[in-house]
Amino acid sequence: MAVSVRMDPLLEKELALAAKRQGITKSQFIIEAVERALGRKDPAALYHKVMEESARYRVGEEVPDDALSPIKAALRQRLRAQHAQQQDDYAAYLAERETKAQRGDA
């Protein structure tokens, strides 16, 4: 369904620039804005869903560390350490959010 909207020329220029920065059309930009305003697209909910799904993801162990070059083995260890830290940070965030929700601070 087509909808026509009148807007200030300056606002339309801002709309065009914002849409161009995102690489989408003005119509797509407006549709996404309306979906967010109506609660159909919640970036925070999407972020939490992705984080919860990634928390269950485990890296495969196809090649043992000793079979890798020293540089690749060191990189793998560093990535594992970063991943573990991110998991710990996210678990702490979820615990804090749950505590706030129970107290009614949210």
Side-chain angles (χ1 to χ4, degrees):
M1 176 175 85
V3 176
S4 195
V5 178
R6 295 176 205 259
M7 64 177 62
D8 180 81
L10 184 58
L11 184 61
E12 184 179 2
K13 183 67 174 172
E14 287 184 67
L15 167 65
L17 291 172
K20 186 176 180 179
R21 274 193 306 271
Q22 293 186 15
I24 59 176
T25 65
K26 291 188 294 185
S27 294
Q28 289 171 316
F29 188 92
I30 292 169
I31 289 168
E32 288 180 8
V34 170
E35 286 176 336
R36 280 193 305 274
L38 296 175
R40 290 188 178 179
K41 264 194 176 176
D42 183 7
L46 177 60
Y47 171 78
H48 292 300
K49 179 181 175 187
V50 168
M51 289 303 290
E52 287 170 3
E53 288 176 6
S54 68
R56 293 188 296 269
Y57 179 75
R58 296 289 174 239
V59 177
E61 298 287 337
E62 300 88 27
V63 179
D65 285 352
D66 58 353
L68 296 173
S69 71
I71 293 172
K72 287 184 179 181
L75 177 60
R76 181 184 277 181
Q77 291 303 317
R78 202 169 334 145
L79 289 172
R80 283 186 182 141
Q82 284 178 344
H83 179 72
Q85 182 63 49
Q86 289 171 350
Q87 296 289 30
D88 293 344
D89 291 347
Y90 187 64
Y93 164 76
L94 289 178
E96 180 181 337
R97 189 174 77 173
E98 181 65 27
T99 302
K100 284 183 179 180
Q102 289 175 353
R103 288 189 312 213
D105 293 347

